[in-house]
């Protein structure tokens, strides 16, 4: 009896080992297959491109890798074929959803006058391609992005520098947010200063894979083709959005400026390295903590030893896919600083600030001079890098 029982137990043990071995082998095969598939995604390609073009081993910041296309290899290949055949519009809802784009109904801009929450209410951009909450209509003007990328020299700093846009060009109607601009001497440990609202007000989107991007029209002369791809109606909000972004991308550069609009991570890498060389890194403020409150400056680090340098700054444009306006910024110093709660002295953020040392060509009515006094060429002007904006520099 004992012999039979021992035999049964032994048989069951062997059977269990075989089953577990089979499951483990299957898991390993599936894991390897998943890893193989992931290595062909647009994001994986962008990472390999980064490694090939940028000649250093510095960590790749998660804030920029998170903007890479989320498309699978299969979806990317399928949508690329549609883009090449000019049939992408037939798959627009699927494309917008899978590629994490900003697609919405063609609302007449004249209807978009109801104020909306600064944080873009939770239902406004829900579903990408399924619609917009018409009870919380998005207004381009409400966010101060009527001309979202105003050049430094003539019309003011970019990325919607004023808290409220004006229907007129009157300087007195502009309100400059406290802390938007400050002097370089403020970047000293122990300084308490107001922090502006650094939160990104634009809808979340992702870059397109370069393989798809190069097959899509992008020029004012091809506006009708662009409207066909994204199913844009005449005189709609989306048409205004596309026209305004194209206008800024195509305007002549300011004196000494080199500029380019980029819609893929690879294009951004190419532009940054074309200006700064292959040994580069990219920075942005860590989070939005401290916005609209006072912060205390903690430990400060001068980038590149505090030497005057050139950078490439990139600011978002409102567009169906993630589009950045990138431009060279000469004669600057860049700082990193821990930002603390003034009461508890606990670190709440890690800010990146850029100080423009030569303001000679800036307009006398620039918001910085309205806030700080003085005039063009008389002072340096500093500001924080806002959420989802970034600055490229040579690596230390």
């Amino acid at each position: 009896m004992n012999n039979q029982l021992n035999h049964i137990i032994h048989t069951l043990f062997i059977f269990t080992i075989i089953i577990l071995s089979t499951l483990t082998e299957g898991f390993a095969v599936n894991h390897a297959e998943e890893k193989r598939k992931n290595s062909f995604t647009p994001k994986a390609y962008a990472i390999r491109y980064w490694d090939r073009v940028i000649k250093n081993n510095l960590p790749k910041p998660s804030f920029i890798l998170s903007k890479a296309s989320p498309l699978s290899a299969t979806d990317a290949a399928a949508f690329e074929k549609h883009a090449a055949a000019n049939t992408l519009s037939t798959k627009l809802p699927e494309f917008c959803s899978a590629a994490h784009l900003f697609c919405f109904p063609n609302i007449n801009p004249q209807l978009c006058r109801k104020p909306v929450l600064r944080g873009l209410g939770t239902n406004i951009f829900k579903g990408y391609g399924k619609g917009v909450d018409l009870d919380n209509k998005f207004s381009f003007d409400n966010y101060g992005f009527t001309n979202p990328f105003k050049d430094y020299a003539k019309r003011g700093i970019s990325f919607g520098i004023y808290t409220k846009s004006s229907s007129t060009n009157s300087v007195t109607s502009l309100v400059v947010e406290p802390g938007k601009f400050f002097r370089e001497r403020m970047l000293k440990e122990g300084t308490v200063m107001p922090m502006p609202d650094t939160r990104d007000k634009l809808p979340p989107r992702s870059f397109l894979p370069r393989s798809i991007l190069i097959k899509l029209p992008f020029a004012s002369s091809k506006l009708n083709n662009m409207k066909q791809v994204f199913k844009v109606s005449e005189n709609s909000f989306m048409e205004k959005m596309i026209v305004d972004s194209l206008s800024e991308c195509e305007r002549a550069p300011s004196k000494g400026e080199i500029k380019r609009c980029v819609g893929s991570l690879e294009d951004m890498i190419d532009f940054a390295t074309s200006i700064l060389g292959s040994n580069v890194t990219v920075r942005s403020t860590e989070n939005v903590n401290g916005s609209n409150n006072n912060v205390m400056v903690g430990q400060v680090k001068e980038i590149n030893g505090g030497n005057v340098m050139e950078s490439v700054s990139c600011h978002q444009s409102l567009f169906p896919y993630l589009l950045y306006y990138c431009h060279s910024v000469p004669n600057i110093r860049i700082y990193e600083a821990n930002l603390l709660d003034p009461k508890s002295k606990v670190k709440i953020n890690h800010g990146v600030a850029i100080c423009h040392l030569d303001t000679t060509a800036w307009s006398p009515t620039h918001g910085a001079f309205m806030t700080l006094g003085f005039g063009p060429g008389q002072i340096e002007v500093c500001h924080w890098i806002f959420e989802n904006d970034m600055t490229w520099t040579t690596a230390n």
Side-chain angles (χ1 to χ4, degrees):
M1 185 69 175
N2 289 337
N3 289 338
Q4 286 181 327
L5 182 60
N6 289 337
H7 178 72
I8 291 172
I9 292 173
H10 179 72
T11 302
L12 288 173
F13 177 75
I14 296 298
F15 180 74
T16 301
I17 293 297
I18 292 173
I19 292 296
L20 289 174
S21 176
T22 302
L23 290 174
T24 302
E25 182 179 350
F27 175 78
V29 170
N30 289 337
H31 181 70
E33 177 64 15
E34 188 66 24
K35 186 176 181 180
R36 185 190 68 80
K37 288 181 180 179
N38 288 340
S39 67
F40 290 99
T41 63
K43 182 174 182 178
Y45 175 83
I47 291 173
R48 289 196 299 273
Y49 191 81
W50 182 305
D51 290 335
R52 187 163 68 249
V53 175
I54 296 177
K55 305 300 183 182
N56 60 51
N57 295 318
L58 295 174
K60 302 173 184 65
S62 59
F63 77 83
I64 191 169
L65 290 184
S66 67
K67 304 179 191 309
S69 173
L71 287 173
S72 67
T74 302
D75 284 346
F79 290 130
E80 181 183 346
K81 289 182 180 178
H82 280 291
N86 198 28
T87 57
L88 195 55
S89 60
T90 65
K91 297 291 182 181
L92 188 61
E94 296 88 344
F95 180 51
C96 289
S97 178
H100 193 219
L101 308 185
F102 177 46
C103 304
F104 48 89
N106 290 292
I107 304 169
N108 187 315
Q110 299 304 315
L111 299 178
C112 299
R113 295 300 174 190
K114 181 178 178 180
V116 290
L117 296 175
R118 289 178 66 83
L120 291 178
T122 55
N123 294 321
I124 294 179
F125 304 109
K126 188 176 181 180
Y128 301 104
K130 294 182 180 179
V132 64
D133 182 353
L134 297 182
D135 290 327
N136 290 285
K137 298 179 180 65
F138 183 90
S139 170
F140 204 66
D141 295 332
N142 284 336
Y143 286 89
F145 286 104
T146 306
N147 289 297
F149 302 108
K150 298 178 180 179
D151 61 273
Y152 289 91
K154 300 301 179 187
R155 291 164 292 165
I157 202 168
S158 48
F159 54 82
I161 208 64
Y162 302 109
T163 56
K164 186 189 299 181
S165 65
S166 172
S167 59
T168 72
N169 292 322
S170 172
V171 174
T172 57
S173 67
L174 297 175
V175 179
V176 182
E177 190 175 4
K180 187 78 72 173
F181 303 106
F182 52 91
R183 300 292 300 274
E184 193 171 18
R185 62 172 178 262
M186 299 290 285
L187 292 167
K188 302 294 183 184
E189 190 168 355
T191 300
V192 176
M193 60 191 296
M195 188 76 170
D197 187 357
T198 62
R199 293 174 297 175
D200 180 12
K201 307 303 188 305
L202 298 185
R205 293 146 297 148
S206 294
F207 279 128
L208 284 179
R210 178 184 270 178
S211 59
I212 295 177
L213 188 68
I214 60 176
K215 294 177 173 62
L216 296 180
F218 187 82
S220 295
S221 60
K222 298 180 180 178
L223 179 60
N224 288 335
N225 303 85
M226 297 176 69
K227 289 166 62 177
Q228 184 271 328
V229 170
F230 292 103
K231 295 186 176 180
V232 177
S233 300
E234 290 290 324
N235 301 315
S236 65
F237 170 76
M238 195 167 186
E239 182 183 47
K240 173 178 172 56
M241 177 186 78
I242 290 175
V243 168
D244 285 353
S245 293
L246 284 174
S247 175
E248 187 58 32
C249 289
E250 293 176 346
R251 72 159 175 82
S254 303
K255 183 179 180 181
E257 180 189 36
I258 305 173
K259 59 188 277 288
R260 182 181 177 187
C261 286
V262 299
S264 74
L265 182 52
E266 299 95 311
D267 285 350
M268 182 180 283
I269 291 171
D270 282 350
F271 181 73
T273 54
S274 72
I275 302 295
L276 303 171
S278 59
N279 183 25
V280 295
T281 189
V282 61
R283 295 177 175 86
S284 185
T285 297
E286 189 173 281
N287 56 57
V288 298
N289 293 342
S291 289
N292 295 322
N293 288 298
N294 285 338
V295 296
M296 176 179 283
V297 178
Q299 184 178 10
V300 178
K301 177 183 178 182
E302 298 175 326
I303 302 304
N304 196 28
N307 294 319
V308 179
M309 59 194 302
E310 181 178 26
S311 72
V312 169
S313 289
C314 295
H315 318 292
Q316 285 189 79
S317 177
L318 187 55
F319 208 71
Y321 50 83
L322 186 56
L323 183 72
Y324 274 89
Y325 174 95
C326 295
H327 61 126
S328 60
V329 187
N331 299 315
I332 53 96
R333 273 195 287 263
I334 292 180
Y335 295 84
E336 291 182 341
N338 288 336
L339 300 177
L340 318 178
D341 180 285
K343 295 181 180 179
S344 67
K345 308 298 190 295
V346 172
K347 176 185 172 183
I348 59 173
N349 205 340
H350 187 76
V352 177
I354 182 170
C355 292
H356 303 267
L357 306 180
D358 182 5
T359 59
T360 305
W362 292 24
S363 168
T365 58
H366 193 288
F369 305 132
M370 293 170 60
T371 303
L372 304 174
F374 300 92
Q378 296 177 344
I379 59 169
E380 83 296 337
V381 174
C382 304
H383 62 84
W384 298 107
I385 301 297
F386 284 15
E387 181 184 27
N388 287 324
D389 288 342
M390 64 192 77
T391 185
W392 293 80
T393 64
T394 54
N396 286 348

